[in-house]
Amino acid sequence: MAPMYKLTYFNVMARVEPIRFLLSYGNIEFEDIRIAQENWSKIRPSTPFGKLPVFEFDDFKTNQSLAICRYVAKRVELVGSNDIENLEIDAVVDTVSDMRAKTFVYTHERDSTKKENLKKALLEETLPYYLERFEPLAKSKGGYLAVGKLTWADIYFVATLESLCPSMGKNLIENCPTLQNLQKRILNLPGIKEWIAKRPVTAE
Amino acid sequence: MAPMYKLTYFNVMARVEPIRFLLSYGNIEFEDIRIAQENWSKIRPSTPFGKLPVFEFDDFKTNQSLAICRYVAKRVELVGSNDIENLEIDAVVDTVSDMRAKTFVYTHERDSTKKENLKKALLEETLPYYLERFEPLAKSKGGYLAVGKLTWADIYFVATLESLCPSMGKNLIENCPTLQNLQKRILNLPGIKEWIAKRPVTAE
């Protein structure tokens, strides 16, 4: 039987790896379509708001990676058990997403001097600011980022590091034992372990 | 009885007006705390991740405006009736949020020449790109932005325009009859109408 879900993105991990992790966690098969940069302009007019990823099933088609993650998280039962828990989870996810977004200008900068300066500020100030707060947060929540149990906030965080660390050329959580432990546990979850073994190897 | 919810932000509409709209829609009283810019550095260390808004009730305290909106939307019954509807709503909300985020650099630019150039690009290209897509979307969904009925996506969009239009110095939906009609209906909802009549007058 053909997979129900079709996920279209570029051939990178970036903001879509959390969706691939969540689907894999739940052993949900999906069509993992990776389009080449040179074909993007042809495909773009058919995408909602001209954006990737596109997530499709039945007659439904949408963009927006966080919205897609939240939907898949419900399917694989990694959401909270009530509205307040989901508020806590959503706030962590949005904060991880904010942290990642801070690297956007650096990633797209082509001038090498400017790029080095941006990298320095990110590695010395911006990213540590977040990680120094995520570490005690996880410590206070039994080793998870929200509500004291495994949720999609943890998967989202660890899958984000998969591309963020190589793109920054550094293990960003090297001084964060609680987050390292969380990462290790997530990367060893059966469905995710299988996904990592079979996924295309990409730089970011 | 004291209001259950406490919402702390600066004295602007910006990204928090959608939360105020949603609470007002549901006739939920809230403490509307507006801090002066000069007091921010004193308050900042007590906020999660050093960010406003902060939303508090009972022992719970969080940042992240979108997460807060989604929680309040559940309380006031403006969410979808199933996971797929909520995916559709979440994707619209994130797209409205992306549109607003495009104005961030412009809003914070102090050099007047650079600011004018940024404004021109926003008014001639960036913002019309989104609005030219929201207009037919609303037309295809019975006058709403998602799932063919009133949801928090509509409130989020209209409340965002409350600050975005003045900050851009333009009625951004002047060529969008369906969105204008949606705006009119939202601004006339009893709880929201009362809120607008009593809220502090701010520029953005």
Side-chain angles (χ1 to χ4, degrees), chain B residues 34-96:
Chain B
R34 291 163 185 251
I35 66 152
Q37 198 67 47
E38 60 264 33
N39 295 329
W40 173 223
S41 59
K42 271 182 282 171
I43 294 159
R44 193 171 185 192
S46 71
T47 64
F49 287 86
K51 300 280 182 186
L52 291 183
V54 169
F55 183 66
E56 292 167 84
F57 57 95
D58 303 331
D59 294 333
F60 192 84
K61 184 176 185 170
T62 189
N63 65 326
Q64 290 296 355
S65 55
L66 279 181
I68 300 163
C69 279
R70 189 176 297 102
Y71 170 79
V72 177
K74 288 172 188 165
R75 281 234 32 204
V76 304
E77 296 179 8
L78 282 178
V79 292
S81 26
N82 58 52
D83 294 346
I84 299 175
E85 284 196 2
N86 282 318
L87 168 54
E88 188 179 326
I89 294 165
D90 282 352
V92 168
V93 166
D94 286 346
T95 303
V96 176

Side-chain angles (χ1 to χ4, degrees), chain A residues 39 41 54 86 96 115 119 123 125 130 201:
Chain A
N39 295 329
S41 60
V54 169
N86 282 318
V96 176
K115 202 176 175 82
K119 186 176 182 177
L123 288 178
E125 289 173 48
Y130 284 95
V201 176

Side-chain angles (χ1 to χ4, degrees), chain A residues 49 64 70 90 95 98 129, chain B residues 49 64 70 90 95 98:
Chain A
F49 287 86
Q64 290 295 355
R70 189 177 297 104
D90 282 352
T95 303
D98 284 353
Y129 180 89
Chain B
F49 287 86
Q64 290 296 355
R70 189 176 297 102
D90 282 352
T95 303
D98 284 352

Side-chain angles (χ1 to χ4, degrees), chain B residues 45-163:
Chain B
S46 71
T47 64
F49 287 86
K51 300 280 182 186
L52 291 183
V54 169
F55 183 66
E56 292 167 84
F57 57 95
D58 303 331
D59 294 333
F60 192 84
K61 184 176 185 170
T62 189
N63 65 326
Q64 290 296 355
S65 55
L66 279 181
I68 300 163
C69 279
R70 189 176 297 102
Y71 170 79
V72 177
K74 288 172 188 165
R75 281 234 32 204
V76 304
E77 296 179 8
L78 282 178
V79 292
S81 26
N82 58 52
D83 294 346
I84 299 175
E85 284 196 2
N86 282 318
L87 168 54
E88 188 179 326
I89 294 165
D90 282 352
V92 168
V93 166
D94 286 346
T95 303
V96 176
S97 173
D98 284 352
M99 176 179 75
R100 193 194 163 279
K102 298 277 184 192
T103 68
F104 187 83
V105 176
Y106 160 73
T107 310
H108 291 80
E109 180 59 59
R110 289 175 183 210
D111 177 288
S112 63
T113 311
K114 282 189 197 162
K115 202 174 175 82
E116 270 313 299
N117 289 338
L118 289 168
K119 186 175 181 178
K120 195 170 141 71
L122 283 168
L123 288 179
E124 290 177 9
E125 288 172 49
T126 319
L127 298 175
Y129 180 89
Y130 284 95
L131 294 163
E132 283 162 14
R133 284 159 179 80
F134 282 130
E135 171 68 15
L137 179 68
K139 212 168 171 181
S140 76
K141 300 272 175 182
Y144 299 99
L145 286 169
V147 309
K149 66 179 182 193
L150 180 70
T151 69
W152 69 285
D154 304 305
I155 309 262
Y156 186 82
F157 175 71
V158 171
T160 297
L161 289 181
E162 290 288 283
S163 61

